[in-house]
Structures are given as C-alpha cells and as structure tokens.
Amino acid sequence: MRVDVIDIDDPGDPRVDDFRDLNSVDRRPDVPALPGGRVGKGLVIAEGVLVVQRMIASRFTPHAFLGVDKRLRELADDLMDPSIQGAPFFRASAEVMAEIVGFHLNRGVLGAARRPSVLSVAEVIDHARTIAILEGVNDHENIGSIFRNAAGLGVDAVLFGAGCADPLYRRCVRVSMGHALLVPSARFDNWPWDLALLRDNDFRLVSLTPGPGSVPLAQAVDAAKVAFLVGAEGPGLSETAMRASDVRARIPMSRGTDSLNVATAAAIAFYERVRSGTMDA
Amino acid sequence: MRVDVIDIDDPGDPRVDDFRDLNSVDRRPDVPALPGGRVGKGLVIAEGVLVVQRMIASRFTPHAFLGVDKRLRELADDLMDPSIQGAPFFRASAEVMAEIVGFHLNRGVLGAARRPSVLSVAEVIDHARTIAILEGVNDHENIGSIFRNAAGLGVDAVLFGAGCADPLYRRCVRVSMGHALLVPSARFDNWPWDLALLRDNDFRLVSLTPGPGSVPLAQAVDAAKVAFLVGAEGPGLSETAMRASDVRARIPMSRGTDSLNVATAAAIAFYERVRSGTMDA
C-alpha cells in the first residue's frame, strides 16, 4: 500500500487538524481561503468510500485520510493509486474520529485535499456541448444535486454566476456523490457580462423560467451547444441574466403549483437534451 | 374571523399538546396511531403559511393552529374558511412556541389535523391518467419531493407499495409544499398482487429501472393511462414488482455514474408524460 497508515489514539493529535470540527461554521477546514491566506484553510473534504474514491480520481488530489479500519480495508486498492503516494491514512476508532470531527460520522472515512488552482470559464467550456449556469443558488444541497444530475445526464460543465454558495463545501460534495470534484466547474469573474464568452463560442443560452415569453423546453434545446441558466427557487433568474440569454424556456407545469426545485428543473432540462438526441448534435 | 384566538403564555399549557415535542421520535403528535388507539396520536402537522393554507384547502381539515401574531395576520383571510369554523388559533411568542415544539420554528405557524379515513386504491385511481407507485421509499424528503413533483407535473395520484415511510409525517408534508395533503394517495393492502387492480383499469405499468431489458423512457409512456413504479435508491424496485409491470423503462444515463435520486427520476418520468402530450391522450 502506498499510503502510510498511522494510528491515532489521541483526538487532540495535531496531525489530524485537517479533519477537525467539520461542523464548525468558522473553524471547519473547508472554509475557503481568501487572498493573502486569511480566513479558512480552503481544503476540500470527501466523506464515505465512494466519494473518497472519486476524490482520488479527480484533480482534487487528497493529501491525507482519516478513517476506521473497516474503511481502510475497503479502500485498499484505491490507496495504491500513484497520485496519492505518501499520503498518510490516519486510522482511528469511531469514537476517536467522532471527537476529532465533532460528531459521529456514519460513513467512517474522510479524505482531505488542498484546492488546486481554479479553472477558467474558457478552459471548462472548451469541447463542451451542454453546460449548466447557476445564478443565486446558495443552497449547498441544491448545488450538490445539480452536479450529480449533470454527471448522470451527460452535462459537461457547471458554471457559477453571482450569488452562489461554495460548491466545494463538504455537504455539497457529499450530496453530489463526489461529482462536484469530477464535473469541470468555474466561476464567472464579471457576471453577467462574461456570458458573451459563451455566445462567442456558439452556445445557445437558454434561461429556465416559468415566466412570460417562454417557449416549451423541448423547443429550445435544438442546437449543437446549449447552456442552461437556472436561478434559485423563489427569486429565480435575474431579469438581467434572462435578457442576456437567447431564449426563455419553461417546463410545462400544472396551474396552482409552485415551480420545481432548482435541481429537479435542471435535471429535466438535461434530460430533454439527452432525449431529443441534441446532446451529441 | 371564524377562528378563536387564544393567547398562550405558559409553554406547559395542555391546550397546545397537539403541537408539543415535534422532533421527539416517540412523543411527536404525528406518530401514526395503530388500531385500538395505541402508539401515536396520528395527527398531521402543517408548518408555514403556504402549507397551512394548503392544509385548509385539503381534506385534512385542521382543528387547531399555533403561531406568532405575524403569521396570524398573514392567514387572516384563510382563517375565514367555513371548513375550520371554531378551530382555535393559539397565539404565542416565538420563544414560547420554541419551548412547546422543542426547537425554534422559522416558519412561525403550525396547523394540526386529525387523519381522515384513508382512501382506497380504487378511489384514487378513478378518473386518473398518470400515477406514481412507490416501493421501499423510506426517506421522508424523497416522498415529499415526489408529491411536489407530482403536483407540479400533473400526476393524479401517488400509491404506496411495501416498505415506504409515512407520507403524512411533518417533514414529508413540508418538503412536499403541502401537496402530500392535496394529491390523492393510498396504500396497497396486498403488495404487489393488487397491481392487478391497475391493469384491470387499463393502466400501463411502467417500472423505472436502469437494469437490463429496459427501453428508453420516451418509448414507454404512449398509453392513455400510465402508472410509473419507482423504488428506493440503491436497491431499486424488487424483481417481483418489475415482473408485475408491463414494461421496464430507463432514463438514459452517462456511464460511470450512479442512478438519479428517486424523486428526480420520478420527475423526469412525469415530465416525459407532459412533454410527449400523452398525459391527456
């Protein structure tokens, strides 16, 4: 095995500080760092065997693991991966682990990675055919679900406009089943003006909205390259973002009901691309 | 106003017992009652203005409310509804309310209803064109999301096979945005044999499964009446249930990804009925 297994008996051991107080709002290790090294450590935390496996396969290369012996054995093959050579596996009892992370962790294993340099919008849209663009989506579970749905339904990238939560927060990574680490993503520097970059690259910009002037979704996806814009439940997309798009599309809804959850609406849009066969056009 | 407003200053006041300890596993008032009156009170609890409004509009007629003054004012018109004549509105401060229910309740208002007599499968499928049938779905949030998606996408009823959680638990009602009280639902007495009742009523039974022998979803929904069978994430539908269906249908997925969340998969199936125009066939 390429990882070093190190037994941890003392919950206060500073070697496991990267896994400490995971539920703490300000001390958790995955609070993003600001320029100059201020605020958080800016780590990314994967939890559970499946998500740790996907972290190892991603560009978020883990530098350390913490887990119980059972999970160490389940990950034996994955821990042979050359990319993580020398990364320590801190082995602890479930009780010691609970004291370190601050709660009982059912999944029994964690991986920690430093954030690599961010990707640019230009990098992630290169060769992409279908993209999701989020505006104002500040719920980690919704962002995680969107990554999961994107991976499952063949979407090539997820882009973040203004007002979105951190897509690398532990809960988001977990809900995404690790796909937040695998599906390429980037943030717009200048929202929404940088949407022009997508139009310059022949993307059709499709705003998902139940509002006036929208066409049924199935009429909007017939283009070689499509970018779906989705906004948060409640406020939806800003009028500015919708004006910057090429077409407004709606999911046909029953009268007297609310809009769908944003991740569900995105999944239906992704499905429509797959179903209509336009994804590979 | 038809409701009586009663101010509650003492959190121990027995008149608000129907709202007490909402997070308690065994004492919460919405634990189902068993025959003979054993176990729970079997109430249904709605929380938040929107869900309380939908409860008033449903057959789950509330017999009492608990809320802060602000929510009382917001509900003033709804509380004029003749169906709830004489139901008391217990008005309390946010602090007293928190002591009663056991936690701080952001939404600020609750309604409590006794469970009316259950509907039969035969009753809820009468006049229905599209139905969702759940097997082994034991996650309250997933069930709530399925009700919300059913309401939004024109599904007429939700039926429960073996192994499903209580669809009238508070969290389920909340996640459903109250549609768990409005979309007709029923439980099968003899699962899966009672599926014959649907076939006798000319429903095509479509099992959603990524497994072998499945056709693309879009090829499976072209019938006047369709019932979609969905199973829990992970185990999926039982082989017995799938054998009892007419066709197995899959949502086209990318290789190397997991199946979609069950509520998301159901939403895509419902959407396919709407999109293809077969819902009104």
Side-chain angles (χ1 to χ4, degrees), chain A residues 27-45:
Chain A
R27 290 189 315 276
R28 61 183 171 84
D30 53 348
V31 170
L34 288 184
R38 289 178 300 121
V39 191
K41 283 188 175 182
L43 300 182
V44 181
I45 303 290

Side-chain angles (χ1 to χ4, degrees), chain B residues 230-266:
Chain B
V230 296
E233 281 177 68
L237 287 166
S238 69
E239 188 58 35
T240 317
M242 287 195 282
R243 283 208 190 120
S245 69
D246 297 303
V247 58
R248 301 178 193 209
R250 67 174 180 275
I251 296 165
M253 300 279 298
S254 303
R255 266 171 290 192
T257 60
D258 323 280
S259 63
L260 295 167
N261 165 278
V262 59
T264 306

Side-chain angles (χ1 to χ4, degrees), chain A residues 192-208:
Chain A
W193 298 277
D194 285 349
L195 284 172
L197 189 61
L198 285 145
R199 196 175 286 106
D200 293 345
N201 279 273
D202 304 318
F203 277 88
R204 179 188 291 176
L205 299 175
V206 179
S207 283
L208 285 186

Side-chain angles (χ1 to χ4, degrees), chain B residues 39 55 64 87 116 133-134 149 151 157-158 180 191 253:
Chain B
V39 191
M55 176 180 259
I133 301 176
L134 281 52
N149 297 340
V158 178
W191 178 261
M253 300 279 298

Side-chain angles (χ1 to χ4, degrees), chain A residues 5-89:
Chain A
V5 177
I6 298 171
D7 285 305
I8 300 290
D9 300 316
D10 172 12
D13 194 317
R15 292 176 295 180
V16 293
D17 278 354
D18 282 354
F19 302 99
R20 199 172 296 288
D21 296 333
L22 290 186
N23 269 348
S24 162
V25 172
D26 49 358
R27 290 189 315 276
R28 61 183 171 84
D30 53 348
V31 170
L34 288 184
R38 289 178 300 121
V39 191
K41 283 188 175 182
L43 300 182
V44 181
I45 303 290
E47 64 189 282
V49 168
L50 177 68
V51 178
V52 166
Q53 287 169 328
R54 288 186 172 147
M55 176 179 261
I56 293 171
S58 81
R59 70 187 199 94
F60 296 81
T61 308
H63 64 271
F65 304 91
L66 170 65
V68 298
D69 188 64
K70 178 167 180 240
R71 302 305 180 204
L72 172 61
R73 290 162 194 275
E74 288 172 19
L75 284 164
D77 287 348
D78 307 283
L79 295 174
M80 297 293 288
D81 194 289
S83 71
I84 53 169
Q85 189 153 17
F89 190 107

Side-chain angles (χ1 to χ4, degrees), chain B residues 16-268:
Chain B
V16 293
D17 278 353
D18 282 355
F19 303 98
R20 199 172 296 288
D21 296 333
L22 290 185
N23 268 348
S24 163
V25 173
D26 49 357
R27 290 189 313 276
R28 62 184 170 83
D30 52 350
V31 171
L34 288 183
R38 289 178 299 122
V39 191
K41 284 187 177 184
L43 300 181
V44 181
I45 303 289
E47 64 187 282
V49 168
L50 177 68
V51 178
V52 167
Q53 286 169 329
R54 289 187 172 148
M55 176 180 259
I56 293 171
S58 80
R59 70 187 199 96
F60 296 81
T61 308
H63 63 271
F65 306 91
L66 170 66
V68 298
D69 188 64
K70 178 167 181 242
R71 302 306 179 202
L72 171 61
R73 289 163 194 276
E74 289 172 20
L75 284 165
D77 286 347
D78 306 283
L79 295 174
M80 298 292 288
D81 194 289
S83 72
I84 53 169
Q85 187 152 19
F89 190 105
F90 297 111
R91 180 167 56 186
S93 67
E95 293 70 30
V96 168
M97 215 173 145
E99 285 203 57
I100 296 166
V101 304
F103 56 95
H104 178 75
L105 193 98
N106 275 327
R107 292 176 179 77
V109 65
L110 298 161
R114 297 183 190 89
R115 298 192 189 206
S117 58
V118 297
L119 300 175
S120 70
V121 170
E123 280 174 292
V124 304
I125 69 173
D126 194 32
H127 301 296
R129 296 300 186 108
T130 305
I131 285 175
I133 301 176
L134 281 52
E135 183 193 46
V137 180
N138 56 11
D139 178 279
H140 290 108
E141 297 198 16
N142 281 340
I143 294 176
S145 296
I146 288 171
F147 271 107
R148 180 181 177 187
N149 297 340
L153 295 163
V155 169
D156 304 301
V158 178
L159 301 179
F160 293 91
C164 294
D166 176 21
L168 296 175
Y169 174 43
R170 178 173 60 91
R171 186 181 300 162
C172 179
V173 173
R174 183 183 71 219
V175 173
S176 81
M177 313 281 267
H179 291 295
L181 309 179
L182 288 168
V183 176
S185 67
R187 273 185 196 277
F188 287 97
D189 290 322
N190 298 292
W191 178 261
W193 299 277
D194 285 349
L195 284 172
L197 189 61
L198 285 144
R199 197 174 286 107
D200 292 346
N201 279 273
D202 304 318
F203 278 88
R204 180 189 290 176
L205 299 175
V206 179
S207 283
L208 284 187
T209 171
S214 57
V215 303
L217 176 62
Q219 294 174 22
V221 304
D222 183 20
K225 297 182 181 181
V226 167
F228 292 111
L229 280 73
V230 296
E233 281 177 68
L237 287 166
S238 69
E239 188 58 35
T240 317
M242 287 195 282
R243 283 208 190 120
S245 69
D246 297 303
V247 58
R248 301 178 193 209
R250 67 174 180 275
I251 296 165
M253 300 279 298
S254 303
R255 266 171 290 192
T257 60
D258 323 280
S259 63
L260 295 167
N261 165 278
V262 59
T264 306
I268 288 174

Side-chain angles (χ1 to χ4, degrees), chain A residues 68-264:
Chain A
V68 298
D69 188 64
K70 178 167 180 240
R71 302 305 180 204
L72 172 61
R73 290 162 194 275
E74 288 172 19
L75 284 164
D77 287 348
D78 307 283
L79 295 174
M80 297 293 288
D81 194 289
S83 71
I84 53 169
Q85 189 153 17
F89 190 107
F90 297 111
R91 180 169 55 185
S93 67
E95 293 72 29
V96 168
M97 214 173 146
E99 284 201 57
I100 296 166
V101 305
F103 57 94
H104 178 75
L105 194 97
N106 276 327
R107 291 173 180 78
V109 66
L110 298 160
R114 296 183 189 90
R115 297 191 189 206
S117 58
V118 297
L119 300 174
S120 70
V121 170
E123 280 174 292
V124 304
I125 69 173
D126 194 32
H127 301 296
R129 297 300 186 107
T130 306
I131 284 174
I133 301 176
L134 281 51
E135 183 193 46
V137 180
N138 57 9
D139 179 279
H140 290 109
E141 296 197 17
N142 281 339
I143 294 175
S145 297
I146 287 170
F147 271 107
R148 181 182 177 187
N149 296 340
L153 295 163
V155 169
D156 303 302
V158 177
L159 300 179
F160 293 91
C164 294
D166 177 21
L168 296 175
Y169 174 43
R170 178 173 58 93
R171 187 181 299 164
C172 178
V173 174
R174 183 184 69 217
V175 172
S176 81
M177 312 283 267
H179 291 294
L181 308 179
L182 289 169
V183 175
S185 67
R187 272 184 197 278
F188 287 97
D189 291 322
N190 298 292
W191 178 262
W193 298 277
D194 285 349
L195 284 172
L197 189 61
L198 285 145
R199 196 175 286 106
D200 293 345
N201 279 273
D202 304 318
F203 277 88
R204 179 188 291 176
L205 299 175
V206 179
S207 283
L208 285 186
T209 172
S214 57
V215 302
L217 176 62
Q219 294 174 23
V221 303
D222 184 19
K225 298 181 181 182
V226 167
F228 292 110
L229 280 73
V230 296
E233 282 177 66
L237 287 166
S238 69
E239 188 58 34
T240 317
M242 287 194 283
R243 282 207 190 118
S245 69
D246 298 303
V247 59
R248 302 179 192 208
R250 69 174 178 274
I251 295 166
M253 299 279 297
S254 303
R255 265 170 290 191
T257 60
D258 324 280
S259 63
L260 294 168
N261 166 279
V262 60
T264 305

